[in-house]
């Protein structure tokens, strides 16, 4: 029976069928399916082609029983930005799908007492064995989480680590440099009075963005004080911080909000204060999320590769031969839109 008639008959292809069509051993097929290291690209291509031709679907239960893996990756989240959460999930899921893994997502409250946090983590381990976990900020830098996983021998990869980044594999971008680019862009347009909407204290990225922005202004020769208010990476927080900054005297002509959610709230604060963006106040965000094109004028922002960070974090778990201290650095870019203009005369 040829492959076409086999599919028409409704029969399920087996690993033996894949091995026969690819002209390789059953062991070779198993190594490719289980994403084992040291498999040649030529062998992987032959087996993948046979799998596609036969519409072969690996038996996940059989794969788990055959080795020490469960073919499940866990994603732990505690982030106030819905956009950030959605993009990370998309990236991790894509990597899981390509690697024929399942994805488990858990929301963890990192602000609870240490005993409660450890109990939550222990419950996750009891309820579902995972081959590894992707940690997102602020869990990425939470010592209770890191110590617990290290003590239990659990594999994990950190997104955007701040504290002791070499402690475990991770995926990062240069938040300090990205915020510096924002400051230089404002300066090039003639702005000399600045505001800054910061993020949560528990997020390492918030600190790097603040420091990068202020450091660049200092190097550029800024003499006016930079007014700051905490927006908590939230839309409502951006409104509150914006109203506070706009009461400053003299008022800032350019404000950097350290994520897009708080930048959108800042723009609402400008409208409530009778100010026009960017005629009276220029606004820049950070993330290049869907929010950036949901406000008017469209938001100038830093593109943060959030989805790609999730994808590569999951890939690091799938790579069983990876360097235990490996850090993957992904690029950023300034996306110039309509919310930033030359300083008012």
């Amino acid at each position: 029976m040829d492959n076409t008639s086999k599919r028409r008959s409704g029969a399920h292809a087996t690993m033996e069928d894949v091995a026969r069509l690819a002209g390789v051993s059953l062991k070779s097929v198993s190594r490719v399916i289980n994403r084992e290291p040291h498999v040649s690209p030529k062998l992987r291509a032959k087996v993948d082609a046979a799998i596609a031709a036969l519409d072969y679907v690996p038996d996940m239960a059989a794969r788990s029983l055959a080795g020490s893996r469960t073919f499940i990756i866990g994603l732990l989240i505690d982030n106030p930005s819905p956009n950030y959460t959605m993009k990370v999930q998309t990236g991790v899921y894509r990597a899981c799908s390509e690697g024929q893994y399942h994805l488990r997502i858990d929301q963890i409250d990192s602000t609870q007492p240490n005993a409660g946090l450890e109990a939550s983590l222990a419950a996750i381990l009891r309820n579902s064995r995972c081959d590894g976990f992707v940690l997102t900020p602020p869990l990425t830098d939470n010592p209770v989480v890191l110590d617990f996983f290290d003590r239990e021998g659990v594999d994990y990869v950190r997104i955007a680590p701040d504290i002791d980044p070499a402690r475990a594999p991770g995926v990062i971008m240069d938040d300090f440099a990205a915020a510096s680019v924002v400051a230089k862009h404002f300066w090039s347009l003639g702005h000399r009075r600045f505001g800054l909407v910061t993020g949560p204290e528990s997020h390492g990225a918030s600190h790097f963005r603040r420091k990068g922005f202020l450091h660049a202004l200092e190097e550029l020769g800024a003499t006016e004080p930079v007014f700051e208010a905490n927006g908590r990476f939230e839309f409502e927080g951006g409104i509150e911080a914006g109203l506070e900054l706009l009461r400053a005297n003299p008022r800032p002509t350019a404000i950097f909000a350290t994520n897009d959610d708080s930048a959108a709230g800042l723009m609402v604060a400008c409208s409530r204060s009778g100010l026009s963006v960017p005629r009276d106040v220029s606004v820049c965000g950070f993330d290049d999320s869907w929010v950036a094109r949901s406000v008017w004028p469209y938001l100038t922002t830093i593109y943060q590769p959030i989805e790609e960070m999730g994808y590569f974090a999951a890939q690091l778990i799938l790579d069983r031969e990876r360097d235990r201290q490996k850090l993957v650095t992904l690029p950023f870019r300034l996306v110039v839109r309509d919310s930033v203009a030359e300083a008012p005369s």
Side-chain angles (χ1 to χ4, degrees):
M1 180 184 295
D2 61 21
N3 298 334
T4 302
S5 58
K6 180 177 181 61
R7 286 197 298 272
R8 286 175 179 169
S9 70
H12 294 290
T14 65
M15 283 182 61
E16 289 81 1
D17 297 324
V18 174
R20 190 178 303 112
L21 181 59
V24 300
S25 68
L26 193 62
K27 177 62 175 177
S28 295
V29 175
S30 176
R31 292 179 64 206
V32 171
I33 290 175
N34 289 322
R35 302 300 179 191
E36 293 184 8
H38 311 305
V39 175
S40 70
K42 182 178 180 181
L43 173 59
R44 191 178 301 280
K46 290 174 65 176
V47 173
D48 285 343
I51 288 173
L54 293 171
D55 290 333
Y56 172 67
V57 179
D59 185 334
M60 298 298 292
R63 291 173 71 195
S64 297
L65 291 172
S68 60
R69 286 177 286 171
T70 63
F71 298 94
I72 300 172
I73 288 179
L75 173 62
L76 298 186
I77 292 175
D78 180 26
N79 196 291
S81 171
N83 165 75
Y84 185 93
T85 298
M86 179 179 64
K87 283 196 169 185
V88 168
Q89 289 180 10
T90 300
V92 175
Y93 178 78
R94 180 159 58 91
C96 288
S97 180
E98 291 178 4
Q100 297 174 341
Y101 268 61
H102 293 301
L103 171 62
R104 174 191 171 111
I105 302 172
D106 286 281
Q107 180 82 26
I108 297 289
D109 179 9
S110 61
T111 64
Q112 62 184 305
N114 291 353
L117 181 54
E118 288 196 358
S120 298
L121 295 170
I124 291 172
L125 295 188
R126 284 196 307 271
N127 295 334
S128 178
R129 291 175 53 233
C130 294
D131 290 337
F133 288 86
V134 174
L135 305 183
T136 60
L139 299 168
T140 291
D141 290 314
N142 190 301
V144 176
V145 176
L146 303 183
D147 291 344
F148 178 87
F149 280 160
D150 285 340
R151 188 168 61 249
E152 297 294 326
V154 175
D155 200 11
Y156 62 90
V157 173
R158 305 159 72 192
I159 292 181
D162 174 22
I163 301 171
D164 191 11
R167 177 170 179 166
V171 183
I172 62 174
M173 65 158 284
D174 196 336
D175 291 276
F176 185 96
S180 298
V181 168
V182 175
K184 293 171 183 176
H185 183 58
F186 281 160
W187 191 270
S188 70
L189 295 172
H191 294 279
R192 298 296 183 267
R193 299 197 306 273
F194 304 97
L196 178 62
V197 178
T198 57
E201 289 289 325
S202 59
H203 284 246
S206 175
H207 298 285
F208 283 123
R209 293 170 196 176
R210 175 183 180 274
K211 291 177 181 178
F213 185 72
L214 296 178
H215 179 76
L217 291 179
E218 182 180 355
E219 287 199 327
L220 290 167
T223 58
E224 297 283 344
V226 177
F227 297 100
E228 301 183 44
N230 195 321
R232 307 187 301 274
F233 282 173
E234 297 174 351
F235 176 75
E236 294 80 3
I239 296 176
E240 296 166 9
L243 292 173
E244 180 180 340
L245 293 178
L246 295 173
R247 287 194 293 267
N249 187 18
R251 185 182 67 235
T253 64
I255 302 177
F256 172 40
T258 49
N259 84 332
D260 286 349
D261 296 80
S262 56
L266 169 61
M267 294 174 74
V268 170
C270 290
S271 178
R272 286 187 182 179
S273 302
L275 300 172
S276 173
V277 176
R279 185 190 64 204
D280 302 312
V281 181
S282 287
V283 173
C284 183
F286 199 111
D287 284 337
D288 195 25
S289 66
W290 62 269
V291 173
R293 287 184 173 272
S294 300
V295 295
W296 183 257
Y298 288 159
L299 184 64
T300 293
T301 186
I302 291 288
Y303 172 76
Q304 179 182 197
I306 302 171
E307 182 176 332
E308 292 89 337
M309 294 172 85
Y311 176 84
F312 281 103
Q315 286 285 357
L316 286 173
I317 293 176
L318 296 176
D319 181 8
R320 305 180 81 187
E321 295 295 303
R322 69 179 182 274
D323 180 353
R324 291 296 305 169
Q325 277 72 47
K326 183 174 183 179
L327 286 177
V328 177
T329 303
L330 299 182
F332 65 86
R333 66 178 183 273
L334 177 67
V335 182
V336 178
R337 296 196 179 99
D338 305 316
S339 66
V340 174
E342 292 185 356
S345 58

